[in-house]
Amino acid sequence: MAEAIAAAAATSLSVKPSNRHSQLFLSSTSFPIIRLNSLKNPNFRPLVVSSTSIDSAATQKTSSKTSFLDQREGSRYLHFVKYHGLGNDFILVDNRDSSEPKITPEQAAKLCDRNFGIGADGVIFALPGINGTDYTMRIFNSDGSEPEMCGNGVRCFARFIAELENLHVKKLSFSVHTGAGLIVPEIQEDGQVKVDMGEPVLKAADVPTKLAANKNDAVVKSELVVDGVTWNVTCVSMGNPHCVTFGIKGGQDLQVDALNLAQIGPKFEHHEVFPARTNTEFVQVYSPSHLKMRVWERGAGATLACGTGACATVVAAVLEGRAGRNCTVDLPGGPLEIEWREEDNHVYMTGPAEMVFDGSVPLRYLLE
């Protein structure tokens, strides 16, 4: 690419602003366009080579029924849009024409690499719905593993679908099939996304964990030895496994900012009592309605936010008598509003999801 830019500089270049996001085109008569698409950050502009001339690009007309991704030319490219939910970032791929993801888990991991790829916590695919649902959502983590569900991811998924389908109404909801079952996101009038995350699973064997149940069938404030230290933990599944801790046995309340997450997180994730590995939430209580959380995600490591983790945190806080059923959960990337509704036993999560940029990756890159 450096050579391409140098070659372009040797010819007559023009830079023209575009109405589409913050898009710039560099054009010449002897060199293809270099397209830079960025919505939020003008200093971060991925480069994508296109063979379309600037004149045809400027005059191209698209139907309102045409996906904005269809404007990217050629089957030699994987088209994507990057979104984030409180800094938990994802590469979204329109996969509605096939029930199988367009790329492999290994290729997804390559795309997620923050030095040699696009950079993300995971790749999310929008596939056709099954079992009567509108859509199916699948996700590959940055290590290539496939989780059952992702809370921040499903909010990004909802905004992505609204853009793909050109759906612009005051309130919009649809059904999504996931590995954790049926999920129903609803885009609110203010752009926030509220998601019915379903009922928490508390039965130890279904989380799953090998820790012995100590409260009915659940593991609540149970002792777990990690690297010689005894922690009090509560285990919850929100369709994916979570281990929630408010501190060590007999210790003071947890100060989450003081934790060396990279050191302790993997030891929880790969602990023998979690046969499917686990996500781990370290929680500090400010008040019965205000919690602070840091997370080590299974397959992704330390992230800026985890939606299912925030849900599991509130459930654990209620079970341990530390908080009420409506809480603000502060994460490194920002707050989520979580409600564990007593009437239907469902957990509801509300938070933002924002587009960062869109682009195209040459398929040959993924095959190298």
Side-chain angles (χ1 to χ4, degrees):
M1 183 60 72
E3 291 83 355
I5 295 175
T11 64
S12 175
L13 291 179
S14 64
V15 179
K16 301 180 180 181
S18 168
N19 293 328
R20 181 75 173 95
H21 306 319
S22 302
Q23 196 173 80
L24 296 177
F25 295 103
L26 283 77
S27 67
S28 76
T29 58
S30 60
F31 193 75
I33 295 168
I34 302 173
R35 178 182 293 125
L36 306 90
N37 304 323
S38 177
L39 181 65
K40 291 290 184 182
N41 187 351
N43 297 317
F44 182 50
R45 292 170 175 164
L47 302 181
V48 179
V49 177
S50 165
S51 60
T52 306
S53 71
I54 188 64
D55 293 330
S56 63
T59 58
Q60 183 180 13
K61 296 181 180 180
T62 57
S63 167
S64 61
K65 295 182 180 180
T66 301
S67 164
F68 66 104
L69 289 182
D70 289 339
Q71 299 172 29
R72 303 292 183 263
E73 62 290 323
S75 59
R76 296 170 297 167
Y77 293 87
L78 176 73
H79 310 305
F80 70 89
V81 184
K82 186 170 178 180
Y83 283 81
H84 80 89
L86 299 178
N88 195 191
D89 56 341
F90 304 95
I91 298 163
L92 279 290
V93 176
D94 182 7
N95 214 120
R96 293 172 296 166
D97 58 352
S98 173
S99 59
E100 288 298 321
K102 291 183 177 180
I103 61 174
T104 67
E106 294 77 17
Q107 291 170 335
K110 192 172 184 179
L111 287 180
C112 289
D113 189 291
R114 296 190 182 277
N115 294 308
F116 298 100
I118 298 167
D121 293 319
V123 179
I124 295 175
F125 305 90
L127 299 101
I130 60 176
N131 299 329
T133 59
D134 297 314
Y135 304 97
T136 295
M137 169 180 151
R138 288 182 64 182
I139 177 172
F140 293 150
N141 284 325
S142 57
D143 69 349
S145 61
E146 182 173 3
E148 298 86 351
M149 223 284 289
C150 175
N152 286 315
V154 79
R155 296 201 316 277
C156 294
F157 183 93
R159 294 294 298 269
F160 181 55
I161 290 296
E163 287 288 337
L164 287 178
E165 302 283 13
N166 198 25
L167 301 172
H168 302 287
V169 296
K170 287 187 176 181
K171 276 196 176 185
L172 171 68
S173 66
F174 39 82
S175 57
V176 181
H177 175 79
T178 73
L182 175 66
I183 300 294
V184 182
E186 182 182 83
I187 301 176
Q188 307 291 293
E189 291 186 27
D190 61 0
Q192 298 263 328
V193 183
K194 183 176 183 177
V195 185
D196 179 353
M197 301 289 287
E199 298 186 59
V201 175
L202 302 177
K203 187 177 179 180
D206 295 336
V207 171
T209 179
K210 295 179 182 177
L211 286 170
N214 61 352
K215 186 174 182 180
N216 298 323
D217 291 327
V219 174
V220 179
K221 206 174 181 179
S222 183
E223 295 181 6
L224 176 65
V225 178
V226 180
D227 202 24
V229 178
T230 302
W231 296 76
N232 291 325
V233 302
T234 293
C235 297
V236 180
S237 173
M238 292 302 307
N240 54 354
H242 293 269
C243 173
V244 183
T245 180
F246 296 87
I248 63 175
K249 181 182 178 182
Q252 297 180 341
D253 291 341
L254 198 59
Q255 302 296 309
V256 296
D257 287 337
L259 287 171
N260 186 338
L261 207 58
Q263 182 181 61
I264 190 66
K267 295 174 181 178
F268 275 86
E269 178 184 357
H270 297 280
H271 200 288
E272 62 183 2
V273 300
F274 302 113
R277 297 189 292 163
T278 190
N279 303 281
T280 309
E281 287 75 37
F282 301 89
V283 189
Q284 182 175 343
V285 179
Y286 287 147
S287 76
S289 61
H290 190 186
L291 310 174
K292 183 176 183 177
M293 181 195 94
R294 292 181 68 193
V295 60
W296 182 266
E297 288 199 53
R298 178 187 61 167
T303 62
L304 294 178
C306 177
T308 55
C311 294
T313 290
V314 171
V315 171
V318 171
L319 293 175
E320 292 194 20
R322 298 176 182 272
R325 288 176 173 265
N326 284 275
C327 291
T328 298
V329 180
D330 288 343
L331 303 105
L336 287 173
E337 299 299 324
I338 308 295
E339 177 188 5
W340 184 14
R341 194 171 294 172
E342 197 164 8
E343 292 80 5
D344 59 9
N345 198 40
H346 284 217
V347 181
Y348 295 84
M349 169 189 65
T350 304
E354 298 183 9
M355 178 182 172
V356 185
F357 60 83
D358 64 83
S360 305
V361 178
L363 289 177
R364 66 177 183 274
Y365 161 79
L366 297 175
L367 298 175
E368 292 175 353

